[in-house]
Each structure stands twice: as C-alpha cells, then as structure tokens.
C-alpha cells in the first residue's frame, strides 16, 4: 500500500501544472458549491426573517373572511378573551393587535390604493422591528394628531415630504365612507418597494375613532419562543375560539413557504451544474493523464502488477487530489462564508431589482454544519465517481502496450 | 530441464476481417540456462512468440507451458500473478517508472511480490551493483543514459528471481558500447548464475553472442541452431 501511495503521489507531481489545474477545479467546485448554497440560504433566510420579524410574525389571528375580503367590519370577535389567552400562554413572547382597512390615499397630485394599518406603538415595537425601516422623520410616537408614516416610494410618487398632508378615505364598519386628513410624520423603506407603495401606518386608536364607535381589531400578530411551535399554538387558538382563523406564517404567506422550497431546488440545481462541470474537468484531466501513460501501465501489467492494484493506483491519485482539494476548498469556503456572514456580500448593482421582489441587496450567507458536510461529501463523491471511468479504462489496458513503439 | 515449451502455437490477428497469420504451428522448447536469440525480419513473428511465451498475449491455437504450467489457458489475473513470480521482462524502450529512482524501480517488483523490506533493500543493492549502477541507485531514469536505463531494466527483471527473462530487442536503442556492456552483463549472469535469457533481436551483435539462434520467417521457425560458444 505504501508503495502504491508513493507511486500515486509522485505520479500526481509528474505534471505539476496539470495536477494543479485538477486541484484548482476541486477547490473551485467546493468553494462555489458552499458559497452558492450559503448565499441562497442567506437570501432566503433574510427574506423569511425580515417578513416574520417586521410584519408577518410567527402566527396571526384574523376574522375567517378578513384576508379574502378585507372589509373593516370583518374584525376579530372576542378580542379581549384572545388577548387574555395570549398573555397567559408561555409559548408567546409578545403580540400586537392591528386595526386594518383598505382605502385611498389622496394627495394634491394623485390618488393611490393603500392598506391602512393602525398599530399600537408599544406592543408593535415589542413584537416587530418594522420601525427599523424608518428612513426619515419619526415613527408614530409623534405628538402630532392624525400622524401617518408612509413609504418613501409612495411619497416620491405623490411628490410629498415630511409635514405634508394626505387624505385617507375608507369604509367604516357600518359601510359608510369616511375621510380624514393625516400628517406625514415619517417615511419608511422596507425590503420591498411594492410593499412601500401599498401600505401606510397610522395609530390604531385614531383609525378606530374613524372606523367604529368601539375599538375593533383585524389582526393579531404573535411572536413565539420557538417558530417550530407555531402550528401547535395556531391549533390551540382555533380550537379555543370560534369565529376566528389563526394561521402560521407558512399558511399566511404560502409564497414565502414556496420561496423556501424554491430556494432548496435552486441550491440543488446550481450545485448540480457546478458538480457536473467539475466532474467533466476531472474526467478530462484523468483521461489525459491515463492516455499519456498507456505504455507505462502496460509495463506494470506485464511485470505482474495486478489490475486491482492499477485501479487502486489511479483511484489513489484521484483520491489524494480530491482530499487535498476538498480540504483547501473547505478552508477557503469556510473563510469566505465567515467573511461575508460578518460583512455581507453587497450586490448593490442589483439593489433596485432585488428590492422590487422584496430582497435585500446585502446578503449574509449562512450554512449549517450538515450542509457543509453534504457539499463536501458530494464533491468527494463526484470526484471519485469521475475518476472511476479512467480507472476502469486503465485496468483494461493491454500489457502489450508496453512493447509498442512510442 | 525444459522451462518453456510451446505446442503448435498459432496466432491470427483480425480473424474476421483481414486475417494476419503471425504464428503458424510454432513448437519450441527452451531449457534452463539457455542464452537464446530469436531473429528474423520484421513481421516474422518473433515478438509475437515472445509475447506468447511471456503470457502477455493468448494464442489463437496451441499451448504454452512454463515449467509444466499451461499459461495460455490461465485466467488473466492468474497469468499476471504467474508473470510476477516467474517471468522477467526487458523492453526495447526500457519502460522504467519515471517517477521512481533506479533502486525503487528494482525494488518495486519485489514489493509487489510482498517480500520483506530488508531483503528488498539488500537484493536491490546487490542487483544494481551487478549491473554496474551501485553508485546511481538514487538517480531517476531521466538522469540516466539509455544504456544505464536498460541495465536498471535488467536488474528489475532479475529482482523477482524469475525462471527466465524475456528481452524484446534489448539493444535496439543502444549505441555499440552500451549494447556490448549490456550483453556482457546478461551473458555473465547467464554463465555464472545460470539465468535463462530469451531475446528477440535484429541486432547482429546480440546474435553473435547468443548460444542458440532461432530464425523465424513468416510466423514459423525456419532454423534453430546452436552456436559455438567459443565464438563469443
């Protein structure tokens, strides 16, 4: 074995340039695989975290028809009892009630359809971090009456700025049209420009005063100690209270759930393409090395080296290169992931496009240990599989090659 | 004692397209201690015969016996092992492992045989001394002349302590001095250690030194003569 190892090792360095290319291919393949998976993971996770932490939360409660219809009279019944239940459930970290209605935002130059979100500042800031998206002015803790925070993009479209007034028109719970003037106190910029154009924030009590004689709530956003317990909390709420519908974030945002699955498919596809390129690179290099040594392998077979040993020799060569390449690639990939997970990969050139579909242009790659191990195993397996063909070709060489003229 | 015996050996290449009869009913016996040259023009079948005797190729018809073992019907893996234990090869192009030193090239075959490390080291040194390369054992083939490489190849062929050595045109790539030097070594080993050599050759210098010369024409033995040993 030691002799075979020595022979394989020296064979590798017979053509340092060629072996280096193969080594580089393994390193690049592994690095590309790890970084790609890390970036896609990061991209998806950021989007999920952002949506959960800034808006959707782990679970929500609505009137069963509110999401489909959006009317203000479809508010949550037994709100006080649900609040009491949530306050006493140890799985719940925080929750916030929102008053929501769809309406029109009117400025001197334009009218836009918007979703008006009435929020309770103290509980909203405890439950979500949407307030981090504020880019100008102040949030709804302003002293100004009928304050409104709108998207920066919406403000641009209406040519509005801080201190300007807009008129919100919507139907109250009695189906009567109501209008009120609101003062722009703040501008926000979320990850999605589409969201920024269609959502405005006002204080829940001020919206409630316009909607109904008694306060109504259309949504309760709930953050849990553990996201994986969302389904059981939702089930408990649905069985405890009638006339409501509690849903997990996956049910609330099926497109987000699909995004997670799509991300997984994308990772597999990209990795597959990288691995295929790697496999053909290795196959080509190994075959070249083999064709160049036909006579030598013929000689080895002539003097009595078994075909099993010849096979082992070729596979050892591939194995040594794979192990060295995989180790170097893994170190490089881990360092890259660490570097970018701290600083983020800034894809500013795609910022606008990314924002339109709700993605941040600074990506913080993440990778689990299991994913590192999986990619490593796939690269090692692909390399060894790609070496199998040259190795099988090697053992089929006729010993008479040894006597052939050069 | 007969080491090699062939029975009506035939070899036909491309039997289904354009058949080429490389060997026609060749019967030959080689005894222990012989120093035999196979000669003949190109295409006469001497290399084919050597390949059959060496178990590198299978005959279309006929049998090859080495020490009574019929190698022509052996399975490939068994034949490889049989070659490792019984036959030494010297090739026209030396065919040394370029990444190994002279000593490693000689030792390699003994390692394949699974011999003891100390024994391998001793025997390697001894063989390289015998071929006059004791001081070049750490040189790689590229650092040796053609003659020196072929001497390493002879040492390698001897390393496994084979029953006989087959040499295919061993001097074809060597200048006169290197060729004579190589023949001196081979002849000395044959004479002093009773090692059997069979070589195919065009080279008159080799033919002149052989004690038995088998002439082949059109895949058959045309002449088989014993030369006067005093001639050399």
């Amino acid at each position: 074995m030691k002799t075979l190892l020595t022979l394989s090792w020296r064979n590798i360095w017979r053509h340092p340039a060629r072996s280096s290319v193969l080594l580089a291919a393994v390193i690049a393949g592994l690095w590309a695989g790890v970084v790609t998976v890390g970036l896609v993971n990061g991209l998806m996770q950021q989007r999920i975290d952002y949506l959960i932490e800034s808006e959707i939360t782990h679970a929500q409660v609505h009137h069963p028809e509110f999401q489909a219809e959006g009317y203000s009279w479809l508010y949550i019944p037994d709100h006080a009892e649900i609040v009491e239940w949530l306050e006493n459930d140890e799985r719940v970290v925080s929750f916030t009630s929102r008053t929501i209605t769809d309406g029109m935002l009117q400025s001197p130059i334009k009218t836009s359809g918007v979703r008006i979100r009435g929020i309770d500042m103290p509980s909203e800031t405890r439950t979500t971090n949407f307030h981090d998206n504020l880019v100008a002015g102040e949030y709804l803790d302003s002293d100004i009456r009928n304050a409104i925070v709108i998207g920066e993009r919406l403000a641009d479209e209406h040519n509005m700025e801080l201190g300007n007034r807009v008129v919100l028109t919507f139907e109250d719970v009695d189906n009567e049209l109501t209008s009120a003037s609101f003062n722009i106190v703040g501008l926000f910029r979320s990850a999605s420009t589409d969201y920024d154009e269609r959502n405005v924030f006002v204080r829940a009590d001020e919206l409630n005063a316009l909607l109904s004689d008694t306060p109504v709530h259309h949504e309760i956003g709930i953050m849990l100690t553990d996201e994986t317990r969302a389904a059981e909390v939702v089930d408990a709420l649905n069985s405890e209270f009638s006339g409501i519908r509690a849903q997990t974030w996956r049910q609330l945002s099926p497109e987000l759930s699909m995004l997670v699955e799509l991300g997984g498919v994308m990772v597999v596809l990209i990795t597959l393409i990288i691995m295929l390129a790697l496999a053909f690179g290795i196959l080509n290099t190994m075959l070249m090395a083999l064709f160049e040594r036909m006579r030598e392998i013929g000689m080895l077979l002539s003097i009595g080296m078994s075909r099993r040993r010849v096979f082992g020799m070729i596979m050892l060569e591939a194995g040594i290169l794979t192990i060295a390449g995989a180790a170097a690639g893994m170190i490089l990939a881990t360092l890259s992931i660490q570097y970018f997970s701290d600083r983020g990969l800034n894809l500013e050139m795609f910022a606008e496009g990314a924002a339109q579909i709700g993605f941040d242009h600074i990506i913080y790659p993440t990778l689990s240990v299991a994913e590192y191990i999986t990619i490593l195993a796939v690269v090692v397996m692909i390399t060894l599989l790609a070496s199998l063909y040259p190795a099988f070709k090697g053992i089929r060489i006729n010993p008479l090659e040894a006597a052939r003229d050069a | 004692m007969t080491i090699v015996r062939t029975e009506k050996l035939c070899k036909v290449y491309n039997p289904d397209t354009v058949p080429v009869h490389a060997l026609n009913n060749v019967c030959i016996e080689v005894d222990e201690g012989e120093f035999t040259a196979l000669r003949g023009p190109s295409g006469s079948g001497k290399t084919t015969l050597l390949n059959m005797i060496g178990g590198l190729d299978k005959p279309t018809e006929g049998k090859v016996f080495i020490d009574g073992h019929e190698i022509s019907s052996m399975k490939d893996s068994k034949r490889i092992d049989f070659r490792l234990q019984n036959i030494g090869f010297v090739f026209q192009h030396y065919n040394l492992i370029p990444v190994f030193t002279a000593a490693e090239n000689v030792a390699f075959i003994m390692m394949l045989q699974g011999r003891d490390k100390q024994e391998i080291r001793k025997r390697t040194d001894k063989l390289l001394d015998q071929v006059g390369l004791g001081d070049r054992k750490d040189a790689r083939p590229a650092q040796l002349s053609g003659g020196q490489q072929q001497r390493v190849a002879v040492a390698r062929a001897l390393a496994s302590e084979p029953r006989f050595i087959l040499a295919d045109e061993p001097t074809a790539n060597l200048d006169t001095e290197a060729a004579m030097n190589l023949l001196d070594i081979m002849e000395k080993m044959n004479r002093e250690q009773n090692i059997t050599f069979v070589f195919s050759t065009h080279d008159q210098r080799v033919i002149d030194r052989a004690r038995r010369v088998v002439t082949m024409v059109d895949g058959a033995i045309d002449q088989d003569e014993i030369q006067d040993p005093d001639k050399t």
Side-chain angles (χ1 to χ4, degrees), chain A residues 208-219:
Chain A
N208 262 316
L210 295 162
L211 274 178
S212 165
D213 298 336
T214 53
V216 291
H217 302 93
H218 301 93
E219 185 172 281

Side-chain angles (χ1 to χ4, degrees), chain A residues 34-49:
Chain A
V34 167
V35 172
T36 305
V37 173
L39 286 175
V40 174
N41 276 353
L43 199 68
M44 298 301 156
Q45 200 55 52
Q46 275 171 248
R47 178 73 183 141
I48 292 164
D49 289 349

Side-chain angles (χ1 to χ4, degrees), chain B:
Chain B
M1 183 191 173
T2 301
I3 298 179
V4 180
R5 179 166 63 87
T6 70
E7 273 181 13
K8 295 183 176 177
L9 217 50
C10 294
K11 181 69 183 177
V12 183
Y13 292 111
N14 313 321
D16 301 326
T17 52
V18 187
V20 176
H21 296 265
L23 291 179
N24 292 309
N25 294 316
V26 174
C27 298
I28 188 173
E29 286 188 3
V30 178
D31 290 340
E32 192 170 12
E34 278 193 19
F35 199 66
T36 299
L38 295 176
R39 75 166 176 189
S42 290
S44 60
K46 53 188 188 304
T47 297
T48 305
L49 179 59
L50 219 59
N51 290 339
M52 300 291 157
I53 294 171
L56 297 178
D57 202 358
K58 278 188 164 187
T60 311
E61 277 178 53
K63 290 172 181 174
V64 179
F65 294 90
I66 308 290
D67 265 344
H69 300 280
E70 194 202 333
I71 63 161
S72 42
S73 62
M74 276 181 192
K75 273 178 143 181
D76 180 69
S77 56
K78 204 171 169 192
R79 249 186 313 139
I80 290 176
D81 191 55
F82 190 87
R83 287 201 295 268
L84 176 66
Q85 306 299 342
N86 296 283
I87 308 170
F89 290 91
V90 177
F91 303 97
Q92 181 182 341
H93 302 287
Y94 330 131
N95 287 9
L96 298 177
I97 301 169
V99 292
F100 274 177
T101 62
E104 286 168 336
N105 265 287
V106 176
F108 183 67
I109 199 159
M110 291 185 277
M111 287 175 184
L112 291 179
Q113 287 179 315
R115 293 196 192 194
D116 173 69
K117 271 184 191 170
Q118 221 167 359
E119 184 198 348
I120 292 172
R121 200 174 304 125
K122 272 187 191 170
R123 188 161 169 75
T124 301
D125 289 345
K126 185 181 158 196
L127 286 165
L128 284 172
D129 282 340
Q130 281 180 358
V131 296
L133 291 170
D135 57 341
R136 302 303 315 272
K137 61 183 177 184
D138 292 326
R140 290 211 179 174
Q143 297 166 317
L144 299 171
S145 68
Q148 287 173 324
Q149 285 189 59
Q150 198 61 306
R151 280 188 274 156
V152 175
V154 170
R156 177 180 67 185
L158 286 163
S160 62
E161 296 182 273
R163 295 290 289 131
F164 63 98
I165 289 176
L166 294 174
D168 187 14
E169 307 271 8
T171 58
N173 288 351
L174 304 182
D175 59 34
T176 303
E177 191 188 343
M180 288 303 162
N181 192 270
L182 183 77
L183 284 168
D184 288 343
I185 290 166
M186 288 163 67
E187 204 173 27
K188 189 177 172 205
M189 287 174 170
N190 169 258
R191 207 169 44 241
E192 294 176 0
Q193 297 172 41
N194 203 33
I195 292 165
T196 310
F197 281 90
V198 179
F199 31 83
S200 68
T201 186
H202 279 105
D203 191 340
Q204 193 56 44
R205 299 167 299 189
V206 181
I207 295 163
D208 288 344
R209 304 277 288 266
R211 284 202 295 282
R212 179 184 174 191
V213 178
V214 177
T215 308
M216 295 194 68
V217 177
D218 296 335
I221 294 175
D222 186 55
Q223 267 188 315
D224 189 346
E225 53 192 334
I226 304 294
Q227 293 195 141
D228 182 359
D230 295 337
K231 206 176 89 177
T232 58

Side-chain angles (χ1 to χ4, degrees), chain A residues 121-132:
Chain A
M121 270 294 292
S123 64
E124 185 71 40
T125 46
R126 274 199 310 273
T127 309
T128 70
N129 57 14
F130 192 84
H131 48 277
D132 290 343

